[in-house]
Amino acid sequence: MSLDDAQIVNVNNPQQPSSPDTTLQRHVLDLGSKRSRDSERYSSISMSHREINDGDARLVHVNDALKTNERFEFAGNSIKTAKYSLFSFLPRNLFEQFHRVAYIYFLIIAILNQLPQLAVFGRGASILPLSFVLLVTAVKDAYEDWRRHRSDRIENNRMASVLVSDRFQQKKWKDIQVGEIIRFSADDTIPCDTVLLSTSDPTGVAYIQTINLDGESNLKTRYAKQETLCKTPEKDVINGFIKCEKPNRNIYGFMATMEIDGKHLSLGPSNIVLRGCVLKNTNWAVGVAVYCGRETKAMLNSSGAPSKRSRLETRMNREIILLSVFLVALCMAVSVCAGVWLKRHENELEVLQFYRKKDYSEPEVENYNYSGIGMEIFFTFLMSVIVFQIMIPISLYISMELVRVGQAYFMIRDNKMYDETSNSRFQCRALNINEDLGQIKYVFSDKTGTLTENKMEFKYASIFGVDYSGEKTNFEGEQRGYSIQVNGQVWRPKMKVEVDKELLELSKDGNNTEAGKHIYDFFLALAACNTIVPIVVDTPDPAEKLVDYQGESPDEQALVYAAAAYGFMLMERTSGHIVIDIQGERQRFNVLGMHEFDSDRKRMSVILGFPDGSVKVIVKGADNSMFNIIDKTLNLDILKATEGHLQSYSSIGLRTLVVGMRELGVPEFERWQSSYETASTAVMGRVALLRKVAINLENNLEIVGASAIEDRLQKGVPEAIESLRKADMKVWVLTGDKQETAISIGYSSRLLTSNMHQVVINSNSKMSSKTSLEDALITCRNFLVPGGSDGNTTSVALIIDGTSLVYILDTELEEQLFELASNCAVVLCCRVAPLQKAGIVALIKKRTDDMTLAIGDGANDVSMIQMADVGIGISGQEGRQAVMASDFAMGQFRFLVPLLLVHGHWNYHRMGYMILYNFYRNAVFVLVLFWYVLFTGFTLTTAITEWSSVLYSILYTSVPTIVVAILDKDSSRRSLMAYPQLYGAGQRHESYNSTLFWLTIADTLWQSIVVFYVPLFAYWKSDIDGSSLGDLWTLAVVFLVNIHLAMDVIRWTWVSHASIWGSIIATCICVVIIDVIPVLPGYWAIFDLASKGSFWVCLLGMSIAAVVPRFGVKMFIQHCKPSDIQIAREADKFGSSMELARQEIELNPSRR
Amino acid sequence: MKTYYYSLLQPILFLPQITNADMNPVTNGALKSKKTSKKPEYSRFTQQELPAWKPILTPGWVITSFLAIAFLFIPIGLVSLFASERVVEIVYRYDQDCVPEMYRGNVSAYIRNSLTNKTCIGNITVPKKMDPPIFVYYQLDNFYQNHRRYVKSRSDKQLRSAAYESSTKECEPEARFNKSGDPVPIVPCGLIAWSLFNDTYNLIKKDKVLNINKKGIAWKSDTKVKFGSNVYPKNFQSNDLIGGGKLNESIPLSKQEDLIVWMRTAALPTFRKLYGKINTSLEAHDTITVVLENNYNTYSFGGQKKLVLSTTSWIGGKNDFLGIAYLTVGGICLFMALNFILLYVFKPRPLGDPSYLSWNRKAVN
């Protein structure tokens, strides 16, 4: 409920009417890098929030908690995640539990049973099942809540240093108030959302780690405002107030203004540190609390996993409705018969005392428990609902949850889905859709970070039209990379980069040659135009330090490391300047302004003041956005050459960025500076204003060069994709990368093969989209019609870009795209925006019944992950946005294969079988009860004791189904992995479909007839009493359903043996216990019964005769129409080499 | 508004989820500091590799199972049938013959009137030699002793102990007797006891009374535990409407074996109840005169009354059903076994033959 909403905020609300401007902007995608995604997060978020107006604002008076919270409307800092208190536990817990329809059904039945007219079961027996389930759940909830209470207590009693009467004093977290000034030391955890006032850094930078908040481990920079930096809270009186937004859950957005000493300042997300973050690399920081306790962004964001309903469960609900119809039919039959019976015996009712119409002891005539035929029919109906209640297998829902927990346990513990590099296990976040994993037909995958490692490595550079992609040398042997001397210490970059020898030589020349000048500009741009923070790390050797470049984008990291390797080492960054060591000479550049990346511009720029006093703007961005703003009148041939290089880089799967530069004249600089300042302190529409300023500045650039970064494929990706394709899943790759990059990754991941025909759609208008779609469809049909060739039809791959999708999605062309796409073996969508990803998933989801799965790792995949039936998050380099939105999370793309082919297949098979078995198990019992009712004058007597009726689904037969549904394996992991085609069983709904349902019902009918009528005829005209016959039926049904299950178990481990035979023994023990209670009518019945031969003959005969038809049919089908699974199982057991035989067939297709 | 699906086991401990623990850096830090690898520990259980028996029913096994069932069932069937054949059973229906001609138009008046002579005499012939013990049953047809309201109308507590004499809640409408304005409990209360069967039989063979032993006809467990030896009948059949037999108030319930047998309510609407045992043998063609008191009213609801004399075997009374059923199932299994043999011979399929895999079949086609 909560998480989903948060994500929708993050990715632009699809329903929100968008101006044509934003639609256009949406389809143009960013660099695909992390940095860009983050910025996108920022921008889209801040856009989707209105600017603050007074009504929505919160006014915080700095260092005056009382005045701030005059009206006591702000929360204190104590948190309470526990749901219940001692007194509220019972009512609240019950209230929550009864949210489940199943429990309501239980409750209504139990209440009905309490009415004296309808009391079928005794009080105890009727309440037992419901109270049992409620109790178990309540105990579990209470335990969890106790843990929450404990952790709340620890959290609330932590200490923080708070300014009280001009002195910092230790104070418990729970006592912190909004408006108070707090001081943090290094490695302190922030107790509440705090606006920074000053830090130990003279420029006001503070580094924080947000791992507790979003899982990202790199350091982020936060700034204190210049105006508050110099103040020491103990001495100076800080007079002012902060006007900020109402508390919200957006952890990437913050909007406020501060008025201090009469100055008006604007505050943004970079000025606030959030609860749960940790202060790092900063000695101290002072801030003022603005959101406390439950109003902090961290607390607002703590919510559960998304809940979905599995496809199997949806189908099951249809059959449950059928079962309800059966139930009503049974009850109708009983009540109508009862009515007829009463009518026929109307005149005898006087003799049958229990319907006595006349009381002879009193002079006046009195009715006893007889309310007329109409009411009697009605009562009979309700009573039969009570007696036959388990026809609707309510316990099934509880069993299903238990089974899913068991399955999740095994998925989490699977060694083969453990990722060494990130030390992460598989995670099951959603518990309701395990079985959906076995029926996937479409896989939508992100590329960066999902198929690839998202570990960027600088490869090639094109500098001013010269391509430097020569041989690489690794300096491991000779020189150990570039290093500089600082105060007698050796500083070197933490990561080594392979360098191009020629380029290295040239870069050492400095500004002396023409080429050297361009190279100087290029690497300076790489080192300066970014948001990377260098952090100096100690090494064991005291004379050596490592420089670690921390930043939010792996692309930028790679570029800065590359610049360092070529002698342009970024050493220091503060908010006002950077220090770069250029070939051993340290230079200081003033950072006069920075326009951060956003997905509309798809570029970022810095305005740099050079030591010589000149000012330059350096811009870095995606090629298509950069070529628009590069001055085409200058160096046209160089532009052409660069374009050619870019083409060749991206064709081998590299990610490219273009760098441009321009010198600013004084008037232009001043003009920019004034508008920049106005924009960045604006209260209204700051983001839009800043973007406008940036666009005005970024034009007429001179090209500097382009870089190419490699993002390697993850281990095992090609094999995984091949397996998925063999399993008849359609793999679609949706990426923000360029078409060439996407295609080359397609080849290297074996998604595309050389014998595939590629259909490319690149259109710029609706009309051209339409024609290209139509052309593509015709081509596609031509290929699909086997033109007399040897059956080896070439498959078609569709490659489509985001621009074309703008004109296709949400229009009437969608239908054609769907038809085209469903005929293609592979679909590659490049340059797609996050929302388009979701749109593509929706395209398939709306039109087919097939299951869709989306897998991705970044914030831009969130919408797609939520749209698909099954969403999988990769917990990799890009933080936890995707994981938080996903149903399952794992470390590597290749784990998809064991997840789907093995666990998914097992889960589906197990769940499907369990549902059918539960239907059968309950229906057979109900039918036995029903047949008996026909022989009791339709009065709903049960020969089976009420305790056995109640225990039947709770104790007698529940454990084996759950155990089997958790542990049974219809095929071994080895076969499932070796023959991905076996996955087809789930796609074809082989384990659960209406044919199987009706077969099961027919079988149930037969089995109930055998169980009921064999003893009936055997004991007709005998002196058997009701309790004895009831015991016989109880035992017979339990024996039967367990034998039935045993027949279907494929893998007998000791657990299955114990549970199946154990339940039979447990049932016998229970029956004996019930029969040694003297006040029950059935006292000693079982002993009397078992002493006679007929009992044993009956029991044996029933158990065998009931299952013979099932056995015969099963064996017949197994022999004549074996399923793939069956053959794989046989091959597995008898070791016949499937592999060899298969090849033989492929070579010799004309056999048979 | 989203549908709220409350999941019972969602927040179970080992499932990752953002809970408070995640948000609390303290607990988080504690976990981090251990720096343990999260790699799941290997065990055959967690990797789902427990040793297992994976039976596959090969043609051999299928045929063997069918044959085994056949060879088990056919002999049992024959033995049961044989046992049932040996049981000698005499059934004598008397409910219609024992109504005097003059009352046939109004049976109700006859049976309800306590003054009419209910004695009735009939003859039965023994078809085959009957060895002792010979069981004497009465059989009632179309008598719903399993009617819900009837079955419930009893108080097991009261039957067991004198201390619970007044726990008659379930016994309505035969719970209490209105003794001069003061309702006193009826012992034994309830409709079952109230409708106690009260026809009596005397058997005479060649002018000699056959002794019917009425001791030990009830279950030992009932006489010892279920029916109290200190519970005496009280106010029984004192209401105006009399349902059946009366009880001697000086004999405790545990000794009233007819009542105990009657109180074990029958499972089915046609049932027998043990009346007594004869410990002498009856020869074939013996004629036995039955002198009975036709007191019990089954006429109002069209029930039948029969007297049954039967010997017994290990399988119980005379009933061919089980034997026939066993023979049928055994026969069917034999037939199935033969069919499967033919199937395997004429349409063999090598086990694990990959050419039957769906994708290979498709490729061939």
Side-chain angles (χ1 to χ4, degrees), chain B residues 108-161:
Chain B
S108 193
Y110 161 75
I111 200 80
R112 283 205 183 148
N113 191 340
S114 55
L115 300 174
T116 46
N117 180 15
K118 306 280 172 45
T119 312
C120 170
I121 298 171
N123 285 318
I124 49 176
T125 315
V126 179
K128 265 201 275 181
K129 181 172 189 289
M130 293 170 88
D131 291 322
I134 301 163
F135 293 86
V136 180
Y137 301 97
Y138 51 90
Q139 176 178 330
L140 299 179
D141 286 15
N142 198 21
F143 188 103
Y144 285 89
Q145 221 192 0
N146 57 14
H147 191 286
R148 156 161 229 99
R149 296 189 173 190
Y150 184 88
V151 169
K152 297 261 163 185
S153 184
R154 64 188 283 160
S155 168
D156 287 290
K157 272 187 186 164
Q158 191 202 46
L159 296 175
R160 192 155 173 250
S161 150

Side-chain angles (χ1 to χ4, degrees), chain A residues 504-572:
Chain A
L504 188 66
E505 289 304 316
L506 283 171
S507 69
K508 281 183 182 154
D509 293 349
N511 272 338
N512 304 332
T513 61
E514 182 66 19
K517 208 166 155 317
H518 292 306
I519 291 167
Y520 179 90
D521 284 346
F522 180 72
F523 284 118
L524 183 66
L526 291 193
C529 185
N530 54 53
T531 55
I532 295 289
V533 180
I535 284 167
V536 181
V537 191
D538 293 333
T539 58
D541 180 4
E544 194 179 314
K545 300 250 177 177
L546 288 181
V547 181
D548 184 9
Y549 290 125
Q550 289 269 359
E552 295 171 21
S553 147
D555 288 81
E556 283 191 347
Q557 279 175 323
L559 293 177
V560 176
Y561 276 118
Y566 287 103
F568 292 74
M569 191 155 147
L570 178 66
M571 291 177 64
E572 188 185 331

Side-chain angles (χ1 to χ4, degrees), chain A residues 353-354 356 359 361 368, chain B residues 149 152-155 158-159 164-179 182-195 233-241:
Chain A
Q353 279 264 296
F354 32 87
R356 180 163 59 177
D359 184 340
S361 60
Y368 170 70
Chain B
R149 296 189 173 190
K152 297 261 163 185
S153 184
R154 64 188 283 160
S155 168
Q158 191 202 46
L159 296 175
Y164 290 103
E165 191 185 278
S166 53
S167 70
T168 56
K169 215 177 73 201
E170 287 98 20
C171 291
E172 289 295 341
E174 286 297 330
R176 276 159 199 268
F177 165 59
N178 208 345
K179 199 177 199 177
D182 177 30
V184 288
I186 299 170
V187 184
C189 70
L191 285 172
I192 307 180
W194 174 80
S195 61
K234 271 183 201 160
N235 309 318
F236 191 64
Q237 303 289 20
S238 307
N239 278 332
D240 286 356
L241 197 63

Side-chain angles (χ1 to χ4, degrees), chain A residues 805-867:
Chain A
L805 286 173
V806 171
Y807 301 107
I808 295 171
L809 291 181
D810 294 322
T811 66
E812 67 279 4
L813 295 178
E814 260 193 10
E815 202 60 54
Q816 280 173 307
L817 176 66
F818 171 71
E819 198 191 334
L820 177 64
S822 48
N823 283 326
C824 293
V826 174
V827 178
L828 267 178
C829 304
C830 29
R831 294 237 178 265
V832 284
L835 266 178
Q836 287 182 324
K837 290 188 176 185
I840 293 162
V841 176
L843 174 82
I844 297 299
K845 215 176 137 183
K846 264 189 279 175
R847 285 179 177 72
T848 63
D849 260 347
D850 298 329
M851 298 286 294
T852 53
L853 176 147
I855 178 167
D857 71 322
N860 58 348
D861 303 316
V862 165
S863 55
M864 153 172 106
I865 286 175
Q866 286 179 334
M867 174 63 74

Side-chain angles (χ1 to χ4, degrees), chain A residues 680-693:
Chain A
S680 53
T681 51
V683 186
M684 302 288 289
R686 187 190 308 160
V687 176
L689 280 175
L690 274 175
R691 193 187 311 135
K692 216 167 147 196
V693 174

Side-chain angles (χ1 to χ4, degrees), chain B residues 33 53 63 70 79 99 134 139 153 166 187 200 220 276 310 331 339 358:
Chain B
S33 63
W53 174 55
I63 294 163
V79 171
V99 179
I134 301 163
Q139 176 178 330
S153 184
S166 53
V187 184
T200 56
K220 277 217 177 67
S310 170
N339 274 323
S358 61

